[in-house]
Structure formats: C-alpha cells, structure tokens
Amino acid sequence: MRKQSIFVTVVLLVLLLATVSSAQGPVLHDVRHGYGVTGIGWLSDYHADLKGTPGDSRVYYLDSGNPGPTVVILGGTHSNEIAGVSAATLIIERAVVEAGRVVVIPWANSSGAASIDERRPHLRTWSLETESGIRTFPYGDRRTNADHQEPDPESYLHYPSLYELPGNEARNLNRAHPGKADGTLTQQMAYAYYRLIIEEEANIAIDMHEAGVGSRLANMLIANPKNLDFAVMAIVELEMQGVIMNVEPSSEAFRGLSHREWGDHTQAAAYLIETPNPGQTPEIADADVDIVTDPVNPLSKRVATQLATIQAVLDAHDMFLGESLKWTGIPSYTELVENGLGAYLR
Ligand SMILES: [Zn+2]
C-alpha cells in the first residue's frame, strides 16, 4: 500500500516535471490594464506561426467605439529602452480613449525581454514604487535571445532590400521590418507587426526607443518622409511647451527600421521617438548608471517626453487631417516630471 502510493507520487511528479519543462512560449510581464482597455490579444493573432513561441506578445486594445483614427504604439522593440516600455504600460494602465482607438504592445520583442542586456549584464531588472507596492520589470537586451533563433549568419541581409548588416543584427527587430512570414523568429515578429498595422487599418504607427545620452539620436523624432510635415509641426508644438526635440526623416539607404518600412509598405504614418537612456551610454561606468533615478535624465522625464511627443504627433494629425484621437488619463509632461512615473502606474 505504502510502496504503491510512493510509486504513484513519483509517477505524478515525473509527469508534472515533464509538463513544466515542455512549457514554451512568451514570457509575460507585469502590465495591469485599466478601465480603458476593451480587449487583449496576441501578436500571433496576426501571424499564427508565432503562437507558442518566445516571440509572441500581448496586444492591448483601447477602443472608444466612436469614430476617429487608429493609432498603433509599440514599446520594447529594444527591451533595454525602458522609457518606451514604461510609456506603453502607462497608456494601458491609465488611458481611456473617447474617440478613435489605440492598439498598444508594451513588450514588442518578448524574446529580447527574456535576455540579459549584453552591455550592462548587472542591471537585469529595474523597480518602481507605486501605490500598490514595488513593481519590478526586466532590463532585457536590444536583440532577440540567441537561444530563440538560429545561429547568426556571417552577415545579415535585410529582407526584401538585401541591405547588408553585421550578423548579430539578424536578431534586431528594428532591422527586420517589414518582416518575412517564413523567416527567422525576429523576421516573423516584424511580419506580424506589418500585418497588424494593415489589418487594424492604422492611421498612425509609433515605435518608442531610447539612445545613449550623448547620442545624436537622443531626443529625436524620426518620421517617414511621407509624414515628415506632421513631425515638424509636432516638434514646434513641443518647443512651445519647453520640450526640445529634434526631427529627421528616415534614411533612404538604411533599411529595416520601423519608421522607414511601415511608412513605405503600409497606409500608416510612421514615427519613431528616441529619449536619452543613461544605461545605453557607453562612456558612463557601470557603477554610476541609474536608469530610473538619474538626476539629469530620470525615467519619469523620459516617459514624459515620449508621451508629450505622441500627443504632439496626434495634435498635428488632428490639425492637418482632422484625424482626432481623444483620450483622457494621460498625465501632462509637467505632472509626470513632478510626481514621478510611480504615481501613475497601478
Ligand atoms: Zn532602440
């Protein structure tokens, strides 16, 4: 009797372990959707081959049910660029859309989020104090996890342009747009975003990034040439609020980037926003890096810049085209800088 029950227990344990070890798929993140979220889906809804892979990711829908533009917003294309992740998370947790709809993907490359940043491997995670306690998020890598994709080629040829890049850029989502349905995991993620933008009939698509503090790209709004006028109008509006951003068009030669390929291959106006992340500044010694409370570029200010830039882009589309997205619940630039990001996450 006793031997039998031990045997049964062992068999059950083995079965349980087999189930756990065979569990695959995307790592899920701490995103506490608020009252404005009307639906939650998966990236694989737009490309079924991603289902069950580490490249799948959650997609959040904030649909007012009223006429207005559809705006697609990505954070975490590069998982160490946490202002974009944070701004996307804040939208999901606080925004209520009253006209038009917003589709948000806070962790655009789930596989990258499941990696350790190769430049600052000691960082691993970052935390914020919120009204519901300390919340912790991963500080992932710029690229898709090497374990999740075939070995890097000698050199990577972007599809379909055949533009040549270093081999490890084969795992950079922002060099893979507009993607390839039967390509690598990274190319398939890019393909799914391309399909999402088309199937959701997005008017505007925005990809949020960060760059090193001294980088030319820090505080930059990059626009596909077809919607450059809107970007120029947006930075003028930002300047009137005291938020200084630069603007530039997508490079003609440099392929695979979201603003370039989404703008060229879909109906959407395509933008990319960059804010300055101390974690990405090579000159700053590891011990001195504080990616959340840096005195010059605190995370709250970087998220405020991302959100103010999105608003300025929306205002420009409203002014020129009458594409009027209306939403509430997003703090102003000043409120976010003064009260801190933790005050607005749930
Ligand atoms: Zn980036």
Side-chain angles (χ1 to χ4, degrees):
M1 186 70 177
R2 186 138 185 229
K3 265 189 185 165
Q4 265 184 339
S5 69
I6 289 171
F7 176 76
V8 168
T9 308
V10 168
V11 167
L12 283 173
L13 269 174
V14 167
L15 283 172
L16 181 70
L17 281 171
T19 313
V20 168
S21 63
S22 69
Q24 286 283 318
V27 173
L28 294 180
H29 299 283
D30 179 3
V31 179
R32 305 174 187 185
H33 58 277
Y35 296 116
V37 172
T38 52
I40 304 176
W42 292 100
L43 184 58
S44 58
D45 296 341
Y46 303 92
H47 182 50
D49 290 357
L50 280 179
K51 192 168 184 180
T53 75
D56 206 357
S57 195
R58 282 293 201 186
V59 180
Y60 296 83
Y61 302 87
L62 293 83
D63 188 349
S64 69
N66 296 318
T70 293
V71 182
V72 171
I73 300 174
L74 270 69
T77 286
H78 295 140
S79 308
N80 54 344
E81 300 173 7
I82 62 173
V85 170
S86 304
T89 303
L90 191 154
I91 292 168
I92 295 161
E93 300 195 357
R94 291 289 171 184
V96 176
V97 181
E98 295 176 341
R101 54 203 286 267
V102 179
V103 182
V104 192
I105 304 92
W107 293 93
N109 184 346
S110 279
S111 168
S115 309
I116 295 166
D117 182 32
E118 62 178 22
R119 268 206 204 152
R120 303 211 186 259
H122 67 290
L123 281 178
R124 305 296 290 272
T125 61
W126 52 281
S127 297
L128 265 186
E129 176 113 40
T130 71
E131 63 181 16
S132 32
I134 303 275
R135 291 178 61 181
T136 300
F137 306 89
Y139 193 75
D141 191 57
R142 174 179 180 77
R143 298 188 177 90
T144 300
N145 192 315
D147 295 339
H148 297 162
Q149 186 163 311
E150 62 208 47
D152 294 339
E154 277 289 304
S155 62
Y156 161 58
L157 296 179
H158 167 255
Y159 180 85
S161 72
L162 303 182
Y163 176 71
E164 190 173 345
L165 287 152
N168 63 0
E169 290 289 77
R171 287 181 287 112
N172 185 344
L173 176 58
N174 205 29
R175 300 294 180 274
H177 299 292
K180 191 166 186 270
D182 61 351
T184 64
L185 184 68
T186 308
Q187 287 175 315
Q188 291 196 32
M189 283 187 260
Y191 179 75
Y193 289 113
Y194 158 73
R195 290 302 315 166
L196 183 156
I197 289 166
I198 288 181
E199 287 174 31
E200 299 300 338
E201 300 179 356
N203 300 76
I204 300 169
I206 301 172
D207 191 17
M208 294 186 286
H209 286 251
E210 295 202 278
V213 170
S215 163
R216 179 186 66 80
L217 289 172
N219 293 313
M220 182 76 82
L221 174 60
I222 307 164
N224 187 276
K226 76 181 184 186
N227 48 265
L228 182 62
D229 290 355
F230 303 88
V232 172
M233 180 55 90
I235 66 152
V236 170
E237 186 194 315
L238 287 166
E239 193 166 340
M240 290 191 290
Q241 298 169 41
V243 181
I244 307 302
M245 293 288 281
N246 297 306
V247 64
E248 69 176 32
S250 315
S251 159
E252 204 58 60
F254 196 18
R255 306 307 303 201
L257 292 97
S258 55
H259 49 86
R260 173 84 260 171
E261 309 298 343
W262 292 346
D264 287 2
H265 295 273
T266 80
Q267 73 292 336
Y271 300 92
L272 187 148
I273 304 168
E274 299 264 12
T275 48
N277 175 11
Q280 290 169 261
T281 310
E283 312 81 85
I284 300 176
D286 284 355
D288 296 325
V289 174
D290 190 331
I291 54 175
V292 176
T293 62
D294 179 80
V296 182
N297 293 294
L299 181 59
S300 296
K301 184 178 168 188
R302 287 142 53 200
V303 173
T305 301
Q306 295 278 352
L307 293 172
T309 305
I310 290 175
Q311 188 60 57
V313 165
L314 296 177
D315 291 346
H317 277 258
D318 189 5
M319 186 183 299
F320 284 130
L321 300 176
E323 291 175 348
S324 186
L325 183 105
K326 290 192 169 52
W327 57 359
T328 60
I330 304 285
S332 72
Y333 179 87
T334 312
E335 284 171 332
L336 198 40
V337 168
E338 283 176 4
N339 301 327
L341 176 62
Y344 297 100
L345 294 187
R346 291 196 181 272

